[in-house]
Short mmCIF file of all heavy atoms in Angstrom, two decimals:
data_model
loop_
_atom_site.label_atom_id
_atom_site.label_comp_id
_atom_site.label_asym_id
_atom_site.label_seq_id
_atom_site.Cartn_x
_atom_site.Cartn_y
_atom_site.Cartn_z
N ALA A 1507 -13.85 -17.48 4.94
CA ALA A 1507 -12.39 -17.28 4.69
C ALA A 1507 -12.05 -18.45 3.85
O ALA A 1507 -12.52 -19.59 3.97
CB ALA A 1507 -11.61 -17.14 5.86
N HIS A 1508 -10.96 -18.23 3.07
CA HIS A 1508 -10.33 -19.32 2.36
C HIS A 1508 -9.38 -20.16 3.23
O HIS A 1508 -8.91 -19.56 4.15
CB HIS A 1508 -9.50 -18.76 1.11
CG HIS A 1508 -9.04 -19.80 0.16
ND1 HIS A 1508 -7.68 -20.20 0.19
CD2 HIS A 1508 -9.69 -20.70 -0.84
CE1 HIS A 1508 -7.65 -21.13 -0.89
NE2 HIS A 1508 -8.76 -21.42 -1.24
N GLU A 1509 -9.24 -21.39 2.90
CA GLU A 1509 -8.39 -22.22 3.66
C GLU A 1509 -6.98 -21.65 3.85
O GLU A 1509 -6.27 -22.02 4.88
CB GLU A 1509 -8.45 -23.69 3.16
CG GLU A 1509 -7.77 -23.83 1.79
CD GLU A 1509 -7.80 -25.20 1.30
OE1 GLU A 1509 -8.35 -26.14 2.01
OE2 GLU A 1509 -7.26 -25.47 0.17
N SER A 1510 -6.46 -21.00 2.85
CA SER A 1510 -5.08 -20.47 2.96
C SER A 1510 -5.04 -19.33 4.07
O SER A 1510 -3.88 -19.09 4.59
CB SER A 1510 -4.69 -19.80 1.67
OG SER A 1510 -5.66 -18.71 1.33
N GLU A 1511 -6.23 -18.64 4.44
CA GLU A 1511 -6.22 -17.72 5.51
C GLU A 1511 -6.33 -18.48 6.88
O GLU A 1511 -6.17 -17.82 7.92
CB GLU A 1511 -7.51 -16.80 5.37
CG GLU A 1511 -7.40 -15.98 4.12
CD GLU A 1511 -8.68 -15.12 3.99
OE1 GLU A 1511 -9.69 -15.62 3.46
OE2 GLU A 1511 -8.60 -13.93 4.62
N ALA A 1512 -6.59 -19.82 6.93
CA ALA A 1512 -6.61 -20.54 8.17
C ALA A 1512 -5.36 -21.10 8.44
O ALA A 1512 -5.23 -21.92 9.43
CB ALA A 1512 -7.70 -21.54 8.06
N THR A 1513 -4.24 -20.72 7.73
CA THR A 1513 -2.89 -21.28 8.17
C THR A 1513 -2.16 -20.17 8.97
O THR A 1513 -2.65 -19.04 9.10
CB THR A 1513 -2.15 -21.41 6.78
OG1 THR A 1513 -2.04 -20.19 6.16
CG2 THR A 1513 -2.71 -22.41 6.00
N SER A 1514 -1.08 -20.63 9.62
CA SER A 1514 -0.46 -19.84 10.56
C SER A 1514 0.45 -18.74 9.86
O SER A 1514 1.01 -18.95 8.81
CB SER A 1514 0.67 -20.69 11.32
OG SER A 1514 -0.13 -21.61 12.10
N PRO A 1515 0.52 -17.45 10.37
CA PRO A 1515 1.21 -16.46 9.83
C PRO A 1515 2.78 -16.68 9.95
O PRO A 1515 3.12 -17.55 10.81
CB PRO A 1515 0.91 -15.22 10.59
CG PRO A 1515 0.40 -15.73 12.02
CD PRO A 1515 -0.26 -17.11 11.64
N LYS A 1516 3.54 -16.04 9.18
CA LYS A 1516 4.90 -16.24 9.24
C LYS A 1516 5.50 -15.75 10.63
O LYS A 1516 5.05 -14.81 11.15
CB LYS A 1516 5.74 -15.41 8.19
CG LYS A 1516 7.22 -15.62 8.21
CD LYS A 1516 7.87 -14.73 6.98
CE LYS A 1516 7.42 -15.30 5.71
NZ LYS A 1516 8.07 -14.51 4.49
N PHE A 1517 6.44 -16.54 11.20
CA PHE A 1517 6.86 -16.21 12.46
C PHE A 1517 8.44 -16.38 12.61
O PHE A 1517 8.92 -17.49 12.55
CB PHE A 1517 6.20 -17.11 13.56
CG PHE A 1517 6.63 -16.90 14.88
CD1 PHE A 1517 6.52 -15.77 15.55
CD2 PHE A 1517 7.14 -18.05 15.66
CE1 PHE A 1517 6.96 -15.66 16.85
CE2 PHE A 1517 7.57 -17.87 16.98
CZ PHE A 1517 7.52 -16.61 17.53
N LEU A 1518 9.14 -15.31 12.63
CA LEU A 1518 10.54 -15.31 12.74
C LEU A 1518 11.03 -14.63 14.06
O LEU A 1518 12.29 -14.49 14.15
CB LEU A 1518 11.20 -14.52 11.49
CG LEU A 1518 10.74 -15.09 10.18
CD1 LEU A 1518 11.33 -14.16 9.00
CD2 LEU A 1518 11.20 -16.43 9.89
N SER A 1519 10.15 -14.38 14.94
CA SER A 1519 10.46 -13.79 16.30
C SER A 1519 11.26 -12.44 16.13
O SER A 1519 12.08 -12.12 16.92
CB SER A 1519 11.34 -14.80 17.05
OG SER A 1519 10.65 -15.98 17.24
N LYS A 1520 10.97 -11.68 15.04
CA LYS A 1520 11.57 -10.34 14.99
C LYS A 1520 10.97 -9.34 15.85
O LYS A 1520 11.70 -8.32 16.04
CB LYS A 1520 11.47 -9.87 13.38
CG LYS A 1520 12.32 -10.75 12.51
CD LYS A 1520 12.27 -10.07 11.14
CE LYS A 1520 13.13 -10.93 10.11
NZ LYS A 1520 13.14 -10.31 8.71
N GLY A 1521 9.71 -9.57 16.36
CA GLY A 1521 9.06 -8.61 17.10
C GLY A 1521 9.02 -9.09 18.65
O GLY A 1521 9.73 -10.06 18.99
N THR A 1522 8.16 -8.48 19.41
CA THR A 1522 8.01 -8.92 20.79
C THR A 1522 7.11 -10.13 20.84
O THR A 1522 5.97 -10.20 20.24
CB THR A 1522 7.22 -7.77 21.55
OG1 THR A 1522 8.13 -6.58 21.53
CG2 THR A 1522 7.11 -8.20 23.04
N VAL A 1523 7.60 -11.30 21.47
CA VAL A 1523 6.89 -12.49 21.52
C VAL A 1523 6.46 -12.62 22.87
O VAL A 1523 7.24 -12.68 23.93
CB VAL A 1523 7.80 -13.62 21.15
CG1 VAL A 1523 7.01 -15.02 21.20
CG2 VAL A 1523 8.33 -13.41 19.75
N VAL A 1524 5.16 -12.66 23.12
CA VAL A 1524 4.69 -12.86 24.45
C VAL A 1524 4.68 -14.22 24.92
O VAL A 1524 4.76 -15.22 24.27
CB VAL A 1524 3.19 -12.35 24.63
CG1 VAL A 1524 3.15 -10.93 24.28
CG2 VAL A 1524 2.29 -13.17 23.77
N GLN A 1525 4.85 -14.50 26.28
CA GLN A 1525 4.97 -15.85 26.88
C GLN A 1525 3.64 -16.54 26.63
O GLN A 1525 2.55 -16.09 26.70
CB GLN A 1525 5.16 -15.66 28.48
CG GLN A 1525 5.39 -16.96 29.06
CD GLN A 1525 5.56 -16.92 30.59
OE1 GLN A 1525 5.69 -15.81 31.08
NE2 GLN A 1525 5.90 -18.04 31.36
N GLY A 1526 3.88 -17.84 26.06
CA GLY A 1526 2.73 -18.74 25.88
C GLY A 1526 2.21 -18.68 24.45
O GLY A 1526 1.32 -19.38 24.10
N TYR A 1527 2.95 -17.79 23.60
CA TYR A 1527 2.51 -17.72 22.23
C TYR A 1527 2.83 -19.01 21.37
O TYR A 1527 3.95 -19.53 21.60
CB TYR A 1527 3.19 -16.56 21.40
CG TYR A 1527 2.90 -16.60 19.97
CD1 TYR A 1527 1.56 -16.23 19.53
CD2 TYR A 1527 3.84 -16.91 18.95
CE1 TYR A 1527 1.27 -16.28 18.11
CE2 TYR A 1527 3.45 -16.92 17.62
CZ TYR A 1527 2.26 -16.47 17.24
OH TYR A 1527 2.04 -16.52 15.89
N ASP A 1528 1.84 -19.63 20.75
CA ASP A 1528 1.92 -20.86 19.92
C ASP A 1528 1.62 -20.60 18.51
O ASP A 1528 0.44 -20.40 18.20
CB ASP A 1528 1.14 -21.97 20.58
CG ASP A 1528 1.24 -23.24 19.86
OD1 ASP A 1528 2.05 -23.42 18.87
OD2 ASP A 1528 0.53 -24.22 20.29
N ASN A 1529 2.64 -20.42 17.55
CA ASN A 1529 2.42 -20.16 16.20
C ASN A 1529 1.45 -21.18 15.63
O ASN A 1529 0.71 -20.80 14.59
CB ASN A 1529 3.74 -19.99 15.46
CG ASN A 1529 3.55 -19.51 14.08
OD1 ASN A 1529 3.77 -20.31 13.19
ND2 ASN A 1529 3.02 -18.26 13.82
N ALA A 1530 1.52 -22.40 15.97
CA ALA A 1530 0.76 -23.38 15.40
C ALA A 1530 -0.76 -23.14 15.68
O ALA A 1530 -1.58 -23.59 14.81
CB ALA A 1530 1.04 -24.80 16.04
N ARG A 1531 -1.16 -22.47 16.71
CA ARG A 1531 -2.63 -22.20 17.02
C ARG A 1531 -2.99 -20.82 16.47
O ARG A 1531 -4.14 -20.49 16.42
CB ARG A 1531 -2.82 -22.16 18.51
CG ARG A 1531 -2.54 -23.44 19.15
CD ARG A 1531 -2.91 -23.42 20.65
NE ARG A 1531 -4.29 -23.04 20.80
CZ ARG A 1531 -4.83 -22.56 21.94
NH1 ARG A 1531 -4.04 -22.24 22.95
NH2 ARG A 1531 -6.13 -22.32 22.07
N ASP A 1532 -2.11 -19.98 15.92
CA ASP A 1532 -2.37 -18.72 15.30
C ASP A 1532 -2.66 -18.86 13.91
O ASP A 1532 -2.17 -19.70 13.23
CB ASP A 1532 -1.20 -17.79 15.54
CG ASP A 1532 -1.45 -16.45 15.35
OD1 ASP A 1532 -2.67 -16.00 15.20
OD2 ASP A 1532 -0.62 -15.46 15.31
N ILE A 1533 -3.65 -18.09 13.33
CA ILE A 1533 -4.03 -18.11 12.03
C ILE A 1533 -4.10 -16.66 11.41
O ILE A 1533 -3.91 -15.72 12.21
CB ILE A 1533 -5.37 -18.80 11.81
CG1 ILE A 1533 -6.49 -18.05 12.34
CG2 ILE A 1533 -5.39 -20.28 12.19
CD1 ILE A 1533 -7.97 -18.57 12.10
N LYS A 1534 -4.23 -16.52 10.08
CA LYS A 1534 -4.18 -15.23 9.49
C LYS A 1534 -5.37 -14.46 9.57
O LYS A 1534 -5.45 -13.22 9.71
CB LYS A 1534 -3.89 -15.48 8.04
CG LYS A 1534 -2.43 -15.98 7.75
CD LYS A 1534 -2.20 -16.06 6.26
CE LYS A 1534 -0.70 -16.46 5.93
NZ LYS A 1534 -0.48 -17.94 6.20
N PHE A 1535 -6.62 -15.18 9.62
CA PHE A 1535 -7.96 -14.42 9.31
C PHE A 1535 -8.50 -14.06 10.62
O PHE A 1535 -8.68 -14.82 11.59
CB PHE A 1535 -8.78 -15.27 8.53
CG PHE A 1535 -10.11 -14.76 8.33
CD1 PHE A 1535 -10.33 -13.68 7.34
CD2 PHE A 1535 -11.35 -15.21 9.00
CE1 PHE A 1535 -11.62 -13.17 7.19
CE2 PHE A 1535 -12.46 -14.65 8.76
CZ PHE A 1535 -12.75 -13.60 7.89
N GLY A 1536 -9.07 -12.88 10.62
CA GLY A 1536 -9.83 -12.29 11.78
C GLY A 1536 -11.06 -11.50 11.20
O GLY A 1536 -11.20 -11.21 9.99
N ALA A 1537 -12.12 -11.44 12.05
CA ALA A 1537 -13.34 -10.84 11.76
C ALA A 1537 -13.42 -9.42 12.31
O ALA A 1537 -13.13 -9.24 13.48
CB ALA A 1537 -14.62 -11.70 12.14
N GLN A 1538 -13.86 -8.49 11.56
CA GLN A 1538 -14.16 -7.25 12.05
C GLN A 1538 -15.63 -6.92 12.16
O GLN A 1538 -16.30 -7.14 11.23
CB GLN A 1538 -13.43 -6.10 11.33
CG GLN A 1538 -13.56 -4.64 11.90
CD GLN A 1538 -12.91 -3.51 11.02
OE1 GLN A 1538 -13.45 -3.19 10.09
NE2 GLN A 1538 -11.85 -2.97 11.66
N ILE A 1539 -16.08 -6.30 13.24
CA ILE A 1539 -17.50 -6.02 13.40
C ILE A 1539 -17.67 -4.58 13.84
O ILE A 1539 -16.68 -3.88 14.14
CB ILE A 1539 -18.13 -6.90 14.46
CG1 ILE A 1539 -17.54 -6.54 15.89
CG2 ILE A 1539 -17.96 -8.39 14.09
CD1 ILE A 1539 -18.33 -7.14 16.92
N ALA A 1540 -18.84 -4.16 13.60
CA ALA A 1540 -19.31 -2.71 14.08
C ALA A 1540 -20.61 -2.91 14.87
O ALA A 1540 -21.51 -3.61 14.51
CB ALA A 1540 -19.53 -1.86 12.83
N ALA A 1541 -20.69 -2.32 15.98
CA ALA A 1541 -21.78 -2.22 16.87
C ALA A 1541 -21.88 -1.00 17.59
O ALA A 1541 -20.84 -0.39 17.90
CB ALA A 1541 -21.72 -3.51 17.84
N ASN A 1542 -23.11 -0.53 17.90
CA ASN A 1542 -23.32 0.77 18.58
C ASN A 1542 -23.60 0.64 19.99
O ASN A 1542 -23.82 1.63 20.68
CB ASN A 1542 -24.32 1.58 17.78
CG ASN A 1542 -25.70 0.89 17.79
OD1 ASN A 1542 -25.79 -0.34 18.10
ND2 ASN A 1542 -26.71 1.49 17.33
N LYS A 1543 -23.86 -0.53 20.47
CA LYS A 1543 -24.29 -0.87 21.94
C LYS A 1543 -23.39 -1.95 22.56
O LYS A 1543 -23.19 -2.99 21.77
CB LYS A 1543 -25.74 -1.09 21.98
CG LYS A 1543 -26.71 0.10 21.59
CD LYS A 1543 -28.11 -0.26 21.55
CE LYS A 1543 -29.01 0.78 21.11
NZ LYS A 1543 -28.90 1.06 19.67
N PRO A 1544 -23.04 -1.83 23.84
CA PRO A 1544 -22.33 -2.95 24.38
C PRO A 1544 -23.08 -4.29 24.26
O PRO A 1544 -22.41 -5.36 23.89
CB PRO A 1544 -22.14 -2.51 25.90
CG PRO A 1544 -22.15 -1.05 25.82
CD PRO A 1544 -23.20 -0.67 24.72
N TRP A 1545 -24.30 -4.32 24.55
CA TRP A 1545 -24.97 -5.62 24.51
C TRP A 1545 -24.99 -6.13 23.05
O TRP A 1545 -24.96 -7.47 22.94
CB TRP A 1545 -26.60 -5.38 24.93
CG TRP A 1545 -27.42 -4.65 24.09
CD1 TRP A 1545 -27.77 -3.37 24.10
CD2 TRP A 1545 -28.12 -5.15 22.88
NE1 TRP A 1545 -28.58 -2.94 23.13
CE2 TRP A 1545 -28.82 -4.07 22.39
CE3 TRP A 1545 -28.22 -6.35 22.24
CZ2 TRP A 1545 -29.67 -4.17 21.31
CZ3 TRP A 1545 -29.00 -6.53 21.12
CH2 TRP A 1545 -29.80 -5.40 20.74
N LEU A 1546 -25.15 -5.30 22.06
CA LEU A 1546 -25.10 -5.84 20.73
C LEU A 1546 -23.75 -6.44 20.32
O LEU A 1546 -23.67 -7.51 19.73
CB LEU A 1546 -25.50 -4.83 19.71
CG LEU A 1546 -25.47 -5.01 18.28
CD1 LEU A 1546 -26.42 -6.19 17.98
CD2 LEU A 1546 -25.86 -3.79 17.45
N ALA A 1547 -22.73 -5.80 20.66
CA ALA A 1547 -21.42 -6.12 20.46
C ALA A 1547 -21.21 -7.53 21.04
O ALA A 1547 -20.52 -8.45 20.55
CB ALA A 1547 -20.38 -5.19 20.87
N THR A 1548 -21.50 -7.68 22.38
CA THR A 1548 -21.46 -8.88 23.01
C THR A 1548 -22.10 -10.09 22.50
O THR A 1548 -21.46 -11.12 22.29
CB THR A 1548 -21.93 -8.68 24.59
OG1 THR A 1548 -21.27 -7.47 25.13
CG2 THR A 1548 -21.70 -9.85 25.32
N LYS A 1549 -23.35 -9.88 22.15
CA LYS A 1549 -24.14 -10.93 21.42
C LYS A 1549 -23.47 -11.30 20.15
O LYS A 1549 -23.54 -12.47 19.72
CB LYS A 1549 -25.61 -10.52 21.30
CG LYS A 1549 -26.44 -10.61 22.51
CD LYS A 1549 -27.80 -10.15 22.43
CE LYS A 1549 -28.58 -10.22 23.66
NZ LYS A 1549 -28.83 -11.65 24.10
N THR A 1550 -22.97 -10.34 19.36
CA THR A 1550 -22.36 -10.54 18.00
C THR A 1550 -21.14 -11.42 18.24
O THR A 1550 -21.02 -12.37 17.48
CB THR A 1550 -22.05 -9.26 17.33
OG1 THR A 1550 -23.23 -8.44 17.22
CG2 THR A 1550 -21.44 -9.47 16.02
N VAL A 1551 -20.29 -11.12 19.21
CA VAL A 1551 -19.15 -11.92 19.44
C VAL A 1551 -19.52 -13.33 19.83
O VAL A 1551 -18.82 -14.27 19.46
CB VAL A 1551 -18.31 -11.23 20.49
CG1 VAL A 1551 -17.11 -12.11 20.97
CG2 VAL A 1551 -17.64 -9.91 20.00
N GLU A 1552 -20.58 -13.57 20.61
CA GLU A 1552 -20.86 -14.78 21.07
C GLU A 1552 -21.32 -15.60 19.91
O GLU A 1552 -20.87 -16.82 19.80
CB GLU A 1552 -21.99 -14.81 22.07
CG GLU A 1552 -22.39 -16.25 22.68
CD GLU A 1552 -23.25 -16.09 23.95
OE1 GLU A 1552 -23.55 -15.12 24.42
OE2 GLU A 1552 -23.60 -17.23 24.38
N VAL A 1553 -22.14 -15.13 19.03
CA VAL A 1553 -22.59 -15.99 17.88
C VAL A 1553 -21.45 -16.18 16.94
O VAL A 1553 -21.41 -17.36 16.27
CB VAL A 1553 -23.83 -15.38 17.23
CG1 VAL A 1553 -25.03 -15.39 18.03
CG2 VAL A 1553 -23.52 -13.95 16.69
N LEU A 1554 -20.51 -15.26 16.73
CA LEU A 1554 -19.45 -15.48 15.86
C LEU A 1554 -18.61 -16.69 16.43
O LEU A 1554 -18.16 -17.56 15.65
CB LEU A 1554 -18.60 -14.17 15.82
CG LEU A 1554 -19.02 -13.26 14.76
CD1 LEU A 1554 -18.16 -11.96 14.84
CD2 LEU A 1554 -18.85 -13.82 13.37
N THR A 1555 -18.14 -16.57 17.68
CA THR A 1555 -17.26 -17.59 18.25
C THR A 1555 -17.87 -18.99 18.35
O THR A 1555 -17.28 -20.00 18.30
CB THR A 1555 -16.79 -17.17 19.59
OG1 THR A 1555 -17.88 -16.86 20.40
CG2 THR A 1555 -15.74 -15.95 19.45
N SER A 1556 -19.22 -18.91 18.39
CA SER A 1556 -19.85 -20.27 18.48
C SER A 1556 -19.99 -20.94 17.26
O SER A 1556 -20.17 -22.21 17.06
CB SER A 1556 -21.24 -20.17 19.18
OG SER A 1556 -22.10 -19.24 18.47
N LEU A 1557 -20.19 -20.17 16.06
CA LEU A 1557 -20.36 -20.69 14.81
C LEU A 1557 -19.23 -20.72 13.82
O LEU A 1557 -19.20 -21.38 12.81
CB LEU A 1557 -21.56 -19.87 14.11
CG LEU A 1557 -22.89 -19.93 14.75
CD1 LEU A 1557 -23.91 -19.07 14.05
CD2 LEU A 1557 -23.43 -21.37 14.85
N CYS A 1558 -18.15 -19.88 14.09
CA CYS A 1558 -16.93 -19.77 13.15
C CYS A 1558 -15.77 -20.28 14.06
O CYS A 1558 -15.16 -19.54 14.99
CB CYS A 1558 -16.86 -18.32 12.93
SG CYS A 1558 -18.21 -17.76 11.94
N PRO A 1559 -15.25 -21.48 13.68
CA PRO A 1559 -14.12 -22.00 14.44
C PRO A 1559 -12.73 -21.50 14.07
O PRO A 1559 -11.83 -21.61 14.74
CB PRO A 1559 -14.23 -23.54 14.21
CG PRO A 1559 -14.78 -23.59 12.79
CD PRO A 1559 -15.76 -22.41 12.76
N SER A 1560 -12.69 -20.73 12.89
CA SER A 1560 -11.34 -20.27 12.38
C SER A 1560 -11.31 -18.75 12.43
O SER A 1560 -11.47 -17.97 11.34
CB SER A 1560 -11.09 -20.75 10.94
OG SER A 1560 -11.13 -22.17 10.93
N LEU A 1561 -11.06 -18.24 13.59
CA LEU A 1561 -10.99 -16.85 13.83
C LEU A 1561 -9.68 -16.52 14.56
O LEU A 1561 -9.53 -16.97 15.69
CB LEU A 1561 -12.15 -16.19 14.53
CG LEU A 1561 -13.49 -16.25 13.74
CD1 LEU A 1561 -14.54 -15.70 14.74
CD2 LEU A 1561 -13.34 -15.28 12.60
N ARG A 1562 -8.81 -15.65 14.05
CA ARG A 1562 -7.53 -15.23 14.74
C ARG A 1562 -8.01 -14.39 15.85
O ARG A 1562 -7.41 -14.46 17.06
CB ARG A 1562 -6.66 -14.54 13.72
CG ARG A 1562 -5.35 -13.97 14.45
CD ARG A 1562 -4.49 -13.38 13.44
NE ARG A 1562 -3.15 -13.44 13.80
CZ ARG A 1562 -2.56 -12.44 14.36
NH1 ARG A 1562 -3.01 -11.26 14.49
NH2 ARG A 1562 -1.09 -12.57 14.59
N ALA A 1563 -8.84 -13.44 15.58
CA ALA A 1563 -9.21 -12.46 16.60
C ALA A 1563 -10.48 -11.71 16.09
O ALA A 1563 -10.92 -11.92 14.94
CB ALA A 1563 -8.21 -11.32 16.84
#
Side-chain angles (χ1 to χ4, degrees):
H1508 187 256
E1509 62 180 1
S1510 62
E1511 298 179 272
T1513 58
S1514 300
K1516 183 179 294 185
F1517 178 57
L1518 303 176
S1519 302
K1520 290 185 176 181
T1522 301
V1523 184
V1524 299
Q1525 184 177 1
Y1527 174 72
D1528 183 359
N1529 184 250
R1531 297 183 63 200
D1532 198 3
I1533 63 173
K1534 296 182 174 71
F1535 177 75
Q1538 187 185 67
I1539 66 169
N1542 59 350
K1543 299 177 179 68
W1545 68 264
L1546 177 58
T1548 304
K1549 288 181 176 289
T1550 302
V1551 168
E1552 182 169 358
V1553 296
L1554 274 175
T1555 53
S1556 63
L1557 297 176
C1558 300
S1560 300
L1561 291 175
R1562 180 181 205 253

